[in-house]
Amino acid sequence: MAALINLTIDGRAVKVPPQTLVIDAAKTVGIEIPAFCYYEGLSLAAACRMCLVEVEKMPKMMTACTLPVSEGMVVRTETEQVKQARKYTLEFLLTNHPLDCPVCDKGGECELQDMAFRYGAGESRYTEEKVHTPEKQFSPVVFFDAPRCILCFRCVRVCNEGLGVGALGVINRGVASEIAPNVGDHLECDECGACIDICPVGALTSGAYRYHTRPWEMTHTGTICTHCGDGCKTTLGTRNDQIIRGNNRDRSGINGEFLCIKGRYAFDFYDHPERLQSPLLRVNGKLEEVSWAKALQVVAQKFTQTLADGGSFGVIGSNHTTNEENFYLQKFARQVLRTNHIDHHRTGDVVTLLDALSGKTTQLATVQDLYERKAVLVLGADLALEHPLLSYQVRANYRHHQAHVYVVTPQEVREDKYAAATVRGRDYESLRDKLKAEPELVILFDDSYKGEDLRKLVDFAESLAIPVKFICLLDYANSRGAVDMGLTPELLPGYQPSGQPGMHVDEMITAELSALWVVGANPLKGAVQRKAGFLVVQDMFLTETAQQADVVLPAASAYEKNGTVTNTSGEVQRLTRAVNTMGAKPDLEIMGFLARDMGAAATLGPWVPETVFAEIRQTVRGYEIPMPVMATGGAAQTVPVKGRIVVDSGVEFRPDLIHSDHNGLFASGTLGRYSKVLNSVLENRLNR
Amino acid sequence: MLFNQPSPLETKVLTRRFGLPNSASIDTYLATEGYQAFLKAAKMTPEQIIEEVKVSNLRGRGGAGFPTGMKWGFVPRTSPKPKYIVVNGDESEPGTCKDRVLIENDPHQLIEGVLIAGLSVDAHAGYIYIRGEYRYLIEVVEKALAEAYEKGWLGKNIQGTGFDFDLYAHTGAGAYECGEESALLESLEGKRGIPRIRPPFPAVAGAFQCPTILNNVETFCAVPAILRDGGAAFAALGIPKSGGTKMTCLTGHINKPGVYELKLGFPVKQMIEEVGGGIRNGKKLKAFIPGGSSCPVLTAAEVEGATMDYDSMASRKTMLGSGGVIIMDEDTCMVKAALRIMRFYAHESCGWCIPCREGTTWLKKILTRFHEGQGTRTDIDLIGDIAKNMLGRTFCPLGDAAAMPTISIVEKFRHEFEDHLNGKPCPYENTGSMVTV
Amino acid sequence: MTFSPQLEARFDKLLKSYPPGRQRSAMVPMLLYAQDEIGRITDELVNEVATRTGCTPLQVNEVLSYYSMLHTKPLGKYHIQVCTNISCLLRDGDKLYEHTCKKLGIGHKEVTADGQFSVEEVECIGACSWAPAIQVNYDFHHHVTPEKLDQLLDGLGKKQ
Ligand SMILES: Cc1cc2nc3c(=O)[nH]c(=O)nc-3n(C[C@H](O)[C@H](O)[C@H](O)COP(=O)(O)O)c2cc1C
Ligand code: SF4
Ligand code: FES
């Protein structure tokens, strides 16, 4: 590393790496230089002029946001001249800014308000008429109020650079300059809302949040998005047990500030009118509302009876439920119901990957690796649509570190635009020479690489003779956790071979089982007729599967419970309850009550997430993750296997059962159907 | 062919072919020592060429007056990237119309200047950026380029020198800001004319992010003479540190407005009286702008003893600028002048930075109100103060260009603002109002 | 979209004038030259230029709305641009502009009912030493007086 540069800011000695900008150097010693347009990670603009500082030996004030440090530099950020300049820059800004703070969504967390408070003039000398233009709706999600816009161009830059979408631009010039959407008067974009969150003022507001509340009336809970497998942290703003908004402005979590439409807005399924609020029991062929006690009793009795009769059980778990719930469920199935017919919808071949790596645990990439490693190879997936965070990371890596990105996909993808090489189809072998020349590589592959194909891929990676890491792309919030926790007949938690045959999902739904217990899954979608003698379903909604159930137990959503989930790159993160359940219960609690009612509580232990997690940490390979990381809301990667799984044990793992839903940006399996935001975007597109 | 009656006081170096039949044609050019400087330069080393330009004391004619030889020396000649030569023919500074006549009357002189610049930094391609309003000059230049290609003065292995050079004409489409060098480069790349953050300067990262020489039309046009007659001869035409001649546009209340080529250091008084034939209608001089509307205004008293060169103007706290001399007689309303100038900058502000975007518009609004007789006493200080709050704080010098004339007018002609308050909406003319866009 | 063979040839030449991958550079000239031929910039033209320069239509709109000579609304057959900037102003360019408006009965950026004329008050057009100056389409007219202007407009009006 190059030697550090010494400089003085406001009389304090500062030591920072070369190329550091003065504005960032100041931060290291707690000096905040105000700025609107400067935004870490985005290209420099130097447009707002708020960050002007005095630098010795320079004739004019300089913008701290573009000035790299140099040895011996002397910077002053609080002189009369600097203060005066800030004050008058704000005065300029406010000339055309409507002072409608009392009704502006941003009021209370507006950077312009804060700056005016800290650096501004008491009164404006501006007495001319202000420019007025009416508010515009750019999309179902994005509203734009031009007069409030201070033209910092953050929105344009984040959309263009961060997201690679380029849906926002600037039209006209001078005072007439205005932010404009990409298609006539509306936006056609990812609807991620990054532009809204990054707007320092209330110029861009969200259809979901606007005029709902004042920011200071909300409680904020950091939890994990329940939609895709990338595992973004989302901070839910709630009031009166209602989720009002999602964002991640505090940049905690593996995603920093990034969120896609699902993480930012698609929490809204939770109060969908069709949300189940009471258990249902089939009486005379019809589902009727009953009390929790009654419903649990019916299920416990039926399960106990079936056990006594030597009947057969099938258990289908979920890609959305927590690790604790999955662990508890498999334990319930194996130890209480004594069945190994347990499975879930598999969306990627983690098992073969881990097996082929034969325990080389350093070969599993994290989300951060995608931002840091020198080269990335994307196989199969349309990353930008299916794994928005991973795609964002790769793009940022390219922008900030000029990473080489290679794309091998059947169809055109957004990564093509900046890829070092693109191959249509599957012939990654043709990239061999280029990849060999890279110092290191991360390979991401989707469900089209599984079984033997995947083993070949790992061999290929090996043959490159460079350090290679992998990410096996998986669909939902806890797909990885479902495999890790043993929701498969072949493997117990921690990839220990179960040594017993068991049915897979497709077999269970077509077999004449005595009882089938479905937790948070919808295996009977697509008009499949149930075959099981008794069907219990835990879910949030009356899905196709729930409609055929004998007992439906309303389950809490991810935003209504505590626990942990594991993302597609094996990083474990904590779910924190943001709102309380309306008549529904967390799946873990439901299972606990059933265990209690069946007299199996002692076998299964307390149904408290923390306790279950403690057991997971002790018993599941790879989950010996450090507690402080978890406790502080961080992410810790599991390192699941230290040896071969399949080959050594003779387990036959069935790659043919794997299929990903390839959900795009506006789809999220069954759950997505209940999100108003996702639906409105889809409808909006259909109507165009 | 557009030019005015020449003045005997002119020193005709760049304009030496003006008035010749078909002065723009390559035949005329070749018959009058044309392209000889290039051939001479082709035998020199790049260092020698740059040295010759340094010796000539040629300073940029686009307004900032930066020493040209030094600028060329900044280009990393050995960089593996291609290098480019870009001609700034955006000429939009109010009061300035000299590049237009240079291109129209003698385009090959410009091409030759560009070729020599190309030799000096090992560049093999260039662009002549011409403002959109000069649409006819695009045709003039393209014709000249075609002639040069045809006769082997452009293209591969020019005249057997082994030097390749391709030159293209590129049009703007109405934007003063695109005259600012980095905004011009953005415009050349098909973008909005928003200036770039500097450093890096164009010498290092210019056109297409490659090392680039960017100069004004007149600057390039001076180069053939420098190589032909030697840098020292060119330098000797002017005064120490300011070599050569300056294309000077006399405009405003003068009897013989026109573009004249005068030695640097030419006395202002003599220029007005003898070259320009004196102030129109025998009036007295009230205000003088030496080099386009971006320069601080001088009063008649300040003009005493001034000469047309960088130092003389700098000592009077103004600038030689682009050579657009604006002469205002005693009847001129300075409030109106300030307003018209500010309207221009408000119209041309690119909108990128806050002080320029908001400041120019705010000033335009106040000055409009003021000139219409709706001003208040506090407005006068406010106008000066707003302009000062822009000065030195904007993203590019356009903000300064708007602030400087305003500050000088408020300071030097404050009484005219006062007069507007004293029940006389506009004491200097009959029509009180002014057309506003 | 199809253009005249001359314009197509011009576009071809333009696109070859810039380094490989820099076709975007041709955007402003293409827009201006196409506008010369079809009178204004239509949405169709925006899309066409976007395709030919490898940009998005938004990028083209960002650019076209920046430059004052590019317009999306139709102009008169004769677009009368009167400079009122400082050098022209000092030689009564403002009065010339008012005269033009009065004579044609239209204001800034308006078009006469018959579509023959439009007027625009413009910033300095680089004719300061021959002020006051106007441009009719691309043609410069120098030292213009109200009388000369009347003659010019009457002459153009007769040409129809
Ligand atoms: C707002 C603004 C407008 C400018 N317009 C022009 C112009 O029209 N022509 C020009 O040659 N230089 C113009 N310049 C100066 C250029 O930025 C640049 O300094 C010049 O072209 C360099 O050439 P020179 O060294 O030969 O003068 C302008 C500068 C500013 C700040
Ligand atoms: S909309 Fe907001 S973020 Fe975008 S430029 Fe305007 S103020 Fe900045
Ligand atoms: S001021 Fe009118 S042409 Fe320059």
Side-chain angles (χ1 to χ4, degrees):
Chain A
M1 206 177 126
L4 296 182
I5 303 275
N6 294 289
L7 68 158
T8 313
I9 304 180
D10 291 345
R12 301 170 66 171
V14 183
K15 239 185 200 326
V16 287
Q19 292 307 315
T20 307
L21 297 167
V22 169
I23 195 167
D24 291 328
K27 265 181 217 151
T28 64
V29 289
I31 296 171
E32 190 184 336
I33 300 174
F36 287 115
C37 70
Y38 177 69
Y39 205 86
E40 224 183 300
L42 298 181
S43 62
L44 303 180
C48 76
R49 322 304 291 171
M50 273 306 283
C51 68
L52 287 171
V53 292
E54 274 180 45
V55 182
E56 248 175 40
K57 301 203 188 81
M58 303 233 182
K60 295 202 299 186
M61 285 188 284
M62 306 293 290
T63 44
C65 75
T66 57
L67 185 68
V69 294
S70 62
E71 190 62 36
M73 185 182 246
V74 178
V75 181
R76 295 198 181 83
T77 77
E78 287 297 337
T79 65
E80 277 315 304
Q81 190 193 12
V82 170
K83 286 198 258 185
Q84 193 259 8
R86 284 175 193 161
K87 185 165 138 186
Y88 289 110
T89 299
L90 284 167
E91 183 182 39
F92 280 137
L93 257 189
L94 292 171
T95 56
N96 277 312
H97 192 86
L99 295 172
D100 60 350
C101 312
V103 295
C104 174
D105 266 339
K106 208 74 176 196
E109 51 183 13
C110 167
E111 293 178 37
L112 180 56
Q113 240 180 11
D114 293 350
M115 296 258 203
F117 176 75
R118 259 182 274 174
Y119 309 106
E123 60 191 61
S124 173
R125 299 176 293 174
Y126 186 82
T127 53
E128 318 302 319
E129 216 178 303
K130 295 199 179 208
V131 184
H132 185 78
T133 43
E135 189 184 50
K136 295 170 191 151
Q137 180 168 11
F138 281 173
S139 83
V141 169
V142 186
F143 286 71
F144 179 61
D145 190 354
R148 286 187 193 153
C149 173
I150 60 170
L151 293 165
C152 65
F153 313 113
R154 284 189 196 171
C155 53
V156 176
R157 287 177 286 155
V158 80
C159 187
N160 211 354
E161 302 166 14
L163 282 301
V165 173
L168 287 169
V170 193
I171 56 161
N172 305 332
R173 75 177 185 216
V175 264
S177 303
E178 197 176 308
I179 304 301
N182 58 347
V183 182
D185 60 354
H186 67 275
L187 275 174
E188 269 181 37
C189 67
D190 292 358
E191 308 280 1
C192 71
C195 55
I196 298 173
D197 266 5
I198 208 171
C199 180
V201 295
L204 286 162
T205 49
S206 102
Y209 168 71
R210 60 209 303 271
Y211 307 135
H212 278 304
T213 189
R214 310 299 289 164
W216 55 85
E217 294 174 334
M218 286 187 289
T219 310
H220 303 279
T221 310
T223 191
I224 306 303
C225 169
T226 190
H227 291 285
C228 85
D230 293 358
C232 291
K233 190 145 190 196
T234 175
T235 303
L236 299 175
T238 57
R239 197 189 62 181
N240 300 338
D241 251 347
Q242 281 195 304
I243 307 178
I244 295 177
R245 99 183 162 183
N247 68 29
N248 207 35
R249 285 307 300 275
D250 67 358
R251 303 192 194 195
S252 60
I254 55 174
N255 48 313
E257 223 168 337
F258 175 83
L259 282 175
C260 76
I261 181 170
K262 291 185 239 180
R264 211 182 297 269
Y265 303 114
F267 55 76
D268 62 349
F269 63 81
Y270 90 102
D271 66 347
H272 191 280
E274 288 174 31
R275 183 77 195 272
L276 295 174
Q277 304 202 14
S278 160
L280 304 172
L281 179 67
R282 192 166 296 278
V283 180
N284 299 328
K286 276 178 68 186
L287 286 172
E288 283 181 8
E289 293 195 359
V290 291
S291 71
W292 268 104
K294 171 81 182 164
L296 290 167
Q297 186 205 353
V298 170
V299 178
Q301 270 176 7
K302 186 74 189 177
F303 279 7
T304 311
Q305 190 60 46
T306 307
L307 265 176
D309 297 349
S312 53
F313 282 96
V315 177
I316 297 176
S318 168
N319 281 318
H320 286 284
T321 44
T322 64
N323 288 324
E324 292 76 1
E325 289 165 340
N326 294 348
F327 183 81
Y328 203 86
L329 180 64
Q330 66 82 30
K331 203 169 159 191
F332 204 131
R334 291 186 164 117
Q335 294 184 19
V336 178
L337 304 180
R338 301 209 195 83
T339 178
N340 203 36
H341 301 324
I342 179 163
D343 201 6
H344 72 286
H345 168 197
R346 306 164 185 202
T347 61
D349 199 353
V350 196
V351 176
T352 303
L353 175 69
L354 296 176
D355 185 50
L357 294 178
S358 62
K360 290 196 204 88
T361 48
T362 53
Q363 284 191 251
L364 300 170
T366 60
V367 168
Q368 184 66 14
D369 283 323
L370 292 179
Y371 178 65
E372 287 172 354
R373 299 274 145 175
K374 304 267 187 281
V376 178
L377 168 63
V378 183
L379 297 178
D382 191 337
L383 214 57
L385 303 189
E386 298 173 29
H387 292 277
L389 169 62
L390 306 190
S391 148
Y392 178 84
Q393 290 290 92
V394 172
R395 198 177 311 112
N397 193 0
Y398 166 75
R399 280 190 305 124
H400 296 157
H401 312 134
Q402 294 77 48
H404 291 175
V405 179
Y406 298 91
V407 177
V408 181
T409 57
Q411 75 287 10
E412 280 184 23
V413 294
R414 216 178 274 169
E415 283 70 32
D416 292 348
K417 258 192 266 172
Y418 58 90
T422 299
V423 176
R424 280 290 92 84
R426 293 173 66 87
D427 183 15
Y428 57 80
E429 290 268 356
S430 62
L431 296 172
R432 177 181 292 276
D433 291 344
K434 289 195 174 103
L435 296 176
K436 254 181 119 84
E438 296 292 350
E440 56 185 359
L441 183 67
V442 181
I443 300 179
L444 305 121
F445 61 90
D446 71 355
D447 66 328
S448 60
Y449 294 80
K450 53 192 170 191
E452 276 316 302
D453 284 349
L454 180 50
R455 289 183 193 280
K456 273 189 213 134
L457 174 66
V458 174
D459 290 344
F460 169 77
E462 188 93 331
S463 74
L464 296 173
I466 56 169
V468 178
K469 292 193 177 202
F470 293 88
I471 290 182
C472 170
L473 299 170
L474 303 168
D475 283 5
Y476 297 105
N478 204 23
S479 288
R480 177 60 186 275
V483 199
D484 289 355
M485 293 304 130
L487 291 190
T488 66
E490 299 92 344
L491 297 163
L492 303 176
Y495 300 88
Q496 311 277 11
S498 71
Q500 289 176 49
M503 291 189 197
H504 299 108
V505 172
D506 54 341
E507 291 163 333
M508 281 189 260
I509 58 174
T510 50
E512 312 250 319
L513 293 165
S514 314
L516 179 62
W517 183 13
V518 177
V519 177
N522 188 16
L524 299 185
K525 69 168 172 250
V528 183
Q529 268 301 310
R530 94 175 226 207
K531 292 273 161 44
F534 180 67
L535 177 61
V536 184
V537 174
Q538 293 175 209
D539 209 306
M540 284 176 261
F541 298 100
L542 204 59
T543 62
E544 288 89 335
T545 308
Q547 281 165 26
Q548 301 188 40
D550 294 297
V551 182
V552 182
L553 301 169
S557 74
Y559 302 140
E560 295 153 343
K561 60 188 169 195
N562 295 322
T564 63
V565 286
T566 309
N567 76 352
T568 193
S569 50
E571 292 169 88
V572 186
Q573 301 182 89
R574 225 164 59 156
L575 282 185
T576 308
R577 183 205 312 256
V579 281
N580 281 303
T581 8
M582 318 152 292
K585 293 185 191 303
D587 291 291
L588 184 60
E589 205 171 304
I590 300 174
M591 293 184 254
F593 287 146
L594 283 175
R596 180 196 64 192
D597 291 358
M598 289 175 73
T603 319
L604 294 178
W607 46 94
V608 178
E610 291 72 20
T611 317
V612 180
F613 189 64
E615 189 180 345
I616 292 173
R617 279 188 76 223
Q618 277 166 17
T619 60
V620 179
R621 276 200 313 208
Y623 275 74
E624 314 85 13
I625 42 187
M627 267 327 274
V629 176
M630 296 274 65
T632 52
Q637 197 186 28
T638 67
V639 184
V641 203
K642 300 197 177 69
R644 305 219 68 148
I645 309 165
V646 186
V647 172
D648 291 353
S649 62
V651 171
E652 202 201 326
F653 194 75
R654 298 263 309 274
D656 57 309
L657 297 173
I658 291 168
H659 74 94
S660 155
D661 282 343
H662 295 284
N663 282 316
L665 283 170
F666 309 121
S668 181
T670 303
L671 193 56
R673 292 191 235 150
Y674 298 95
S675 161
K676 284 155 278 184
V677 161
L678 295 182
N679 286 326
S680 69
V681 169
L682 291 172
E683 271 163 35
N684 215 274
R685 300 210 162 190
L686 286 180
N687 295 340
R688 282 237 146 82
Chain B
M1 292 291 115
L2 175 76
F3 56 92
N4 40 277
Q5 272 303 311
S7 159
L9 295 167
E10 283 184 80
T11 306
K12 301 190 71 79
V13 181
L14 278 64
T15 56
R16 63 207 289 257
R17 293 185 190 83
F18 284 27
L20 295 180
N22 292 325
S23 70
S25 81
I26 195 163
D27 295 331
T28 309
Y29 195 66
L30 288 168
T32 50
E33 298 177 275
Y35 290 115
Q36 295 309 304
F38 165 74
L39 292 179
K40 194 170 161 190
K43 297 200 191 82
M44 295 161 67
T45 64
E47 291 81 3
Q48 285 170 328
I49 298 173
I50 292 175
E51 186 53 30
E52 208 59 51
V53 178
K54 283 186 179 160
V55 167
S56 77
N57 281 341
L58 174 64
R59 293 175 62 168
R61 305 298 196 222
F66 193 85
T68 305
M70 201 194 289
K71 197 185 216 175
W72 292 13
F74 292 151
V75 174
R77 195 165 7 103
T78 51
S79 153
K81 290 184 178 175
K83 283 135 223 112
Y84 294 98
I85 311 296
V86 175
V87 180
N88 188 342
D90 192 57
E91 187 158 75
S92 312
E93 174 78 15
T96 316
C97 48
K98 63 186 177 75
D99 296 339
R100 185 176 157 200
V101 293
L102 283 171
I103 297 174
E104 181 172 344
N105 292 292
D106 197 354
H108 286 284
Q109 176 171 251
L110 174 61
I111 297 173
E112 188 174 9
V114 171
L115 283 173
I116 295 167
L119 284 171
S120 81
V121 294
D122 195 29
H124 301 282
Y127 298 89
I128 304 178
Y129 185 105
I130 296 175
R131 66 179 299 189
E133 291 84 348
Y134 291 173
R135 180 71 161 74
Y136 77 104
L137 287 185
I138 290 278
E139 314 299 336
V140 171
V141 168
E142 290 198 332
K143 180 158 175 256
L145 292 175
E147 287 175 340
Y149 271 106
E150 195 192 330
K151 300 240 152 108
W153 293 99
L154 277 174
K156 293 260 171 280
N157 186 16
I158 297 171
Q159 303 294 325
T161 57
F163 180 65
D164 304 338
F165 201 90
D166 287 310
L167 188 55
Y168 309 95
H170 182 103
T171 182
Y176 167 68
E177 177 61 357
C178 291
E180 194 283 332
E181 56 185 17
S182 64
L184 182 145
L185 293 168
E186 286 289 289
S187 179
L188 179 65
E189 292 184 15
K191 300 183 189 149
R192 296 163 59 80
I194 308 290
R196 294 177 178 171
I197 292 168
R198 283 164 296 160
F201 289 92
V204 176
F208 314 113
Q209 296 303 318
C210 296
T212 298
I213 285 185
L214 189 152
N215 280 110
N216 173 254
V217 169
E218 185 185 347
T219 313
F220 283 112
C221 287
V223 171
I226 293 171
L227 270 286
R228 186 182 62 226
D229 306 334
F234 188 84
L237 293 174
I239 56 166
K241 288 197 282 175
S242 299
T245 58
K246 177 83 194 79
M247 296 290 285
T248 310
C249 319
L250 294 187
T251 79
H253 297 140
I254 189 137
N255 276 319
K256 292 196 269 174
V259 181
Y260 302 95
E261 184 175 9
L262 303 175
K263 285 183 189 176
L264 277 161
F266 201 92
V268 172
K269 264 285 164 56
Q270 192 186 9
M271 174 178 78
I272 296 176
E273 297 305 328
E274 296 174 31
V275 180
I279 310 270
R280 202 175 61 166
N281 304 331
K283 298 274 183 183
K284 286 212 276 296
L285 179 68
K286 178 189 269 185
F288 176 88
I289 299 181
S293 68
S294 305
C295 306
V297 177
L298 295 182
T299 61
E302 287 173 312
V303 165
E304 286 303 322
T307 50
M308 290 297 284
D309 59 79
Y310 301 95
D311 296 342
S312 172
M313 289 304 160
S315 72
R316 286 167 173 77
K317 302 215 161 52
T318 184
M319 304 174 304
L320 187 65
S322 59
V325 174
I326 303 168
I327 288 162
M328 300 184 232
D329 72 13
E330 55 191 301
D331 293 343
T332 311
C333 169
M334 293 309 289
V335 176
K336 184 169 171 175
L339 164 59
R340 187 59 189 91
I341 290 174
M342 192 51 63
R343 273 182 51 201
F344 169 71
Y345 290 107
H347 186 260
E348 301 300 334
S349 167
C350 79
W352 188 252
C353 75
I354 295 170
C356 172
R357 180 181 72 230
E358 305 296 338
T360 52
T361 309
W362 188 4
L363 283 170
K364 176 180 109 172
K365 286 180 180 170
I366 305 183
L367 284 163
T368 304
R369 183 164 52 75
F370 205 100
H371 186 251
E372 281 167 358
Q374 306 295 313
T376 63
R377 196 158 300 278
T378 53
D379 285 335
I380 308 175
D381 285 334
L382 182 58
I383 293 166
D385 208 45
I386 295 171
K388 282 187 196 137
N389 285 333
M390 293 163 61
L391 195 65
R393 298 183 190 168
T394 52
F395 186 55
C396 87
L398 189 142
D400 298 335
M404 288 186 295
T406 313
I407 294 171
S408 67
I409 292 175
V410 173
E411 274 173 7
K412 298 175 187 178
F413 298 93
R414 193 182 173 94
H415 56 280
E416 296 204 11
F417 286 84
E418 310 259 350
D419 289 345
H420 278 71
L421 292 175
N422 301 333
K424 297 186 270 184
C426 184
Y428 300 93
E429 52 175 42
N430 311 331
T431 54
S433 78
M434 177 171 161
V435 246
T436 37
V437 177
Chain C
M1 241 182 135
T2 48
F3 304 102
S4 69
Q6 294 86 327
L7 191 56
E8 284 291 356
R10 187 156 213 155
F11 285 173
D12 280 350
K13 196 172 149 210
L14 254 179
L15 288 167
K16 289 193 199 102
S17 307
Y18 309 98
R22 296 288 188 167
Q23 276 54 47
R24 180 172 178 164
S25 281
M27 190 190 293
V28 174
M30 270 176 114
L31 286 167
L32 188 70
Y33 298 152
Q35 169 175 287
D36 292 348
E37 184 162 299
I38 64 178
R40 70 183 179 104
I41 292 170
T42 58
D43 288 346
E44 196 189 3
L45 179 60
V46 168
N47 291 333
E48 182 69 25
V49 171
T51 311
R52 294 195 189 202
T53 55
C55 290
T56 64
L58 175 62
Q59 287 171 323
V60 179
N61 276 319
E62 287 185 286
V63 166
L64 91 88
S65 61
Y66 176 93
Y67 293 92
S68 60
M69 289 173 69
L70 301 176
H71 25 77
T72 50
K73 295 206 187 79
L75 297 174
K77 183 170 167 199
Y78 301 106
H79 185 48
I80 318 294
Q81 301 146 82
V82 185
C83 174
T84 62
N85 206 314
I86 187 76
S87 297
C88 287
L89 178 77
L90 295 172
R91 300 186 82 100
D92 295 335
D94 56 341
K95 301 204 178 76
L96 190 66
Y97 172 66
E98 277 173 357
H99 177 85
T100 315
C101 289
K102 210 179 279 162
K103 166 124 183 138
L104 294 173
I106 49 174
H108 182 59
K109 291 195 180 171
E110 288 176 2
V111 188
T112 53
D114 60 2
Q116 284 294 298
F117 295 102
S118 47
V119 175
E120 185 173 351
E121 184 187 8
V122 291
E123 296 301 348
C124 178
I125 50 178
C128 323
S129 286
W130 305 283
I134 67 167
Q135 263 188 299
V136 178
N137 301 338
Y138 287 121
D139 297 335
F140 280 92
H141 297 267
H142 299 132
H143 300 300
V144 184
T145 58
E147 297 70 44
K148 282 211 242 172
L149 188 97
D150 285 347
Q151 279 172 19
L152 179 72
L153 295 185
D154 292 345
L156 291 174
K158 281 198 205 85
K159 265 211 257 171
Q160 296 266 332

